[in-house]
Amino acid sequence: MSRKCPSCKHNIEKNGGCNHMCCRNCHYHFCWQCMGKFGSGPMGDNSGYSNHKCNTYVEGDSKVILDKEDWERFRWYSERYNNHHRSQDIEKKLREDATDVRHMLQHNHALNWTGSQYYTDAIDQLITARNIMKGSYIFGFFRPTHCPEIHKELFEHRQNELERHTEQLSNLLQGDNVETTKLSNIFQQKSVFLNTTKLVNTSYKALLDVAANAIVEKKNYSLWKYNQTGQKTQDSSEKKKKIKKKKKNFALILSLIHN
């Protein structure tokens, strides 16, 4: 699949999982997912791994959605789902060579089998993260109608964190060029592999926690309230039943994230 560089219109083909692209013709850095500039420099740069964000749909939940707008919203979410799916398919191929890489790490760098496990763990974590990202965009599409009590801004913040760390790990495993994928670099960057894998793991757990715990807007859905003496008291049973029903509806969508 090829697209034109947003800067020079030169055709670019994506052959890796990472969505950070750098045009070889004009050296413009951009995001394959949203086609926006990646990074804060005039031509973009690697700072996009810490500041790029393109996971928020611009339409508000309260807007009346016409058929055309509803289709555009569906297209926006499905594009992001499909993009992570394509990246995942590419990254699954890393598993094919993982055993050979670990054997070479043993032979060339005197690492035992357990000591090279970090490489396989990084691949597995990356593929799991792609799966979570795919499910999160399914959830994002249905959230306004099925689970409006889920805190939108917090969910999208956690989603963006996972997306950035996932791209970091993908870039680390596949590299921007041949040099970064050499065996010596895989060995020398062991601590970076471990730290980035841990970041991805922490990020996707935080994302799932937002959903699984049904974090809600306090003013509308809090299960607790305070009386005039400052003591914490349970809210009405009617409100608790409403929350329970919402959680059941949400559980159906949450299952999409895990599958």
Side-chain angles (χ1 to χ4, degrees):
M1 181 180 181
S2 64
R3 294 178 181 175
K4 293 185 182 297
C5 169
S7 178
C8 69
K9 309 305 179 184
H10 187 77
N11 281 328
I12 297 175
E13 184 174 350
K14 183 175 185 287
N15 56 12
C18 182
N19 288 305
H20 169 210
M21 309 296 292
C22 181
C23 177
R24 293 185 178 180
N25 185 54
C26 69
H27 305 293
Y28 182 76
H29 294 254
F30 65 96
C31 171
W32 184 265
Q33 185 154 262
C34 68
M35 299 303 289
K37 187 175 71 170
F38 190 89
S40 56
M43 295 292 285
D45 49 42
N46 289 334
S47 67
Y49 286 115
S50 61
N51 59 32
H52 186 70
K53 181 178 181 181
C54 66
N55 68 308
T56 302
Y57 186 69
V58 295
E59 290 288 347
D61 292 345
S62 61
K63 181 176 174 63
V64 177
I65 300 175
L66 302 176
D67 289 345
K68 184 177 180 180
E69 293 167 339
D70 197 26
W71 167 250
E72 174 60 24
R73 185 170 175 273
F74 173 79
R75 184 198 63 78
W76 190 92
Y77 280 97
S78 62
E79 271 189 0
R80 279 153 177 75
Y81 173 94
N82 290 330
N83 191 59
H84 281 291
H85 183 72
R86 286 190 290 267
S87 292
Q88 187 182 51
D89 283 344
I90 293 171
E91 289 155 355
K92 282 180 178 178
K93 296 176 182 178
L94 293 170
R95 283 175 168 166
E96 298 174 4
D97 300 322
T99 300
D100 290 339
V101 170
R102 292 181 68 185
H103 279 305
M104 287 189 287
L105 285 171
Q106 281 184 292
H107 182 265
N108 296 350
H109 298 284
L111 278 180
N112 58 31
W113 191 248
T114 302
S116 63
Q117 181 65 36
Y118 71 92
Y119 182 74
T120 304
D121 289 345
I123 296 173
D124 291 342
Q125 189 69 83
L126 176 60
I127 293 171
T128 297
R130 291 292 185 195
N131 209 38
I132 299 296
M133 287 307 308
K134 289 192 298 180
S136 74
Y137 279 109
I138 296 175
F139 171 74
F141 178 78
F142 287 104
R143 186 202 61 78
T145 54
H146 287 66
C147 306
E149 73 277 13
I150 301 298
H151 198 295
K152 179 179 184 292
E153 287 74 19
L154 180 56
F155 182 84
E156 290 181 348
H157 171 70
R158 296 300 188 194
Q159 184 187 47
N160 180 56
E161 282 188 332
L162 175 59
E163 200 155 47
R164 287 190 291 104
H165 295 147
T166 298
E167 298 305 338
Q168 287 176 349
L169 186 57
S170 178
N171 181 65
L172 188 62
L173 281 163
Q174 295 184 308
D176 293 323
N177 50 60
V178 177
E179 181 67 24
T180 61
T181 61
K182 285 185 177 180
L183 190 66
S184 59
N185 286 337
I186 294 175
F187 172 72
Q188 292 168 5
Q189 297 186 75
K190 179 177 179 179
S191 62
V192 181
F193 271 88
L194 291 170
N195 291 335
T196 309
T197 301
K198 185 177 180 180
L199 271 176
V200 172
N201 182 269
T202 302
S203 297
Y204 93 68
K205 285 182 178 179
L207 174 62
L208 291 180
D209 280 345
V210 173
N213 294 329
I215 294 179
V216 298
E217 295 287 352
K218 182 178 179 181
K219 63 180 180 180
N220 293 325
Y221 294 100
S222 177
L223 281 172
W224 300 93
K225 63 182 180 180
Y226 290 86
N227 60 24
Q228 293 180 349
T229 62
Q231 294 177 322
K232 197 175 184 182
T233 60
Q234 278 193 313
D235 208 340
S236 65
S237 59
E238 183 178 348
K239 184 172 288 187
K240 287 193 289 183
K241 288 179 181 178
K242 184 185 293 186
I243 295 295
K244 187 175 182 180
K245 182 179 180 181
K246 293 286 186 179
K247 285 186 177 182
K248 284 183 178 179
N249 290 338
F250 168 70
L252 296 175
I253 298 177
L254 182 62
S255 65
L256 294 172
I257 296 180
H258 288 292
N259 294 330

